[in-house]
Amino acid sequence: MSGGSDQRLDLDVIKEMGTGLNNVTKAFEGLEKLTGRYRDDFGHGDLADKFEDFASNWELSREKLMDEVKTLAKIAKESAKAYEAIDHQLADAIRGAQDDDAPKRGK
């Protein structure tokens, strides 16, 4: 990352985003299927057919959206892990450099 201290990442926010996106996916998975469920309520005819078309399209769109949200959740969680690992490596490197610069005892 260029720009030094101008660019900061809030790892907790990234982690929470991954968790939140997983919750969205669970909510979508918990929705009942509409296809065929209300046909009799609409009666037979154009309105029932239109609702069936909508329900079918909704199922396909919902599945696609769930897949995309799952992917985003995974990216957020993996990103947070990667940033944490880099942060720990940098901290270790700084500590090592500081230890190397410290005056040696007995010299």
Side-chain angles (χ1 to χ4, degrees):
M1 283 192 266
S2 65
S5 64
D6 292 339
Q7 295 183 356
R8 295 183 45 101
L9 298 171
D10 188 336
L11 295 179
D12 290 335
V13 170
I14 295 172
K15 288 178 191 175
E16 289 173 13
M17 182 174 56
T19 301
L21 290 170
N22 277 333
N23 291 339
V24 169
T25 301
K26 288 177 187 174
F28 270 102
E29 288 172 343
L31 295 175
E32 67 182 53
K33 292 189 184 286
L34 299 175
T35 310
R37 182 159 172 91
Y38 298 102
R39 183 162 189 84
D40 290 340
D41 294 333
F42 285 106
H44 298 288
D46 288 341
L47 185 56
D49 292 340
K50 294 292 182 192
F51 185 79
E52 285 301 309
D53 289 344
F54 165 78
S56 295
N57 289 333
W58 167 243
E59 291 298 322
L60 294 173
S61 297
R62 185 178 75 165
E63 288 175 18
K64 183 178 178 183
L65 181 61
M66 283 190 319
D67 289 342
E68 291 174 4
V69 171
K70 284 179 186 178
T71 299
L72 288 173
K74 183 177 179 179
I75 289 169
K77 288 183 175 187
E78 294 300 318
S79 296
K81 287 180 187 178
Y83 287 124
E84 277 185 330
I86 291 168
D87 189 48
H88 289 298
Q89 291 171 359
L90 289 172
D92 289 344
I94 290 169
R95 278 190 223 100
Q98 288 172 342
D99 291 345
D100 291 343
D101 290 342
K104 305 293 183 204
R105 293 183 191 222
K107 290 194 177 187

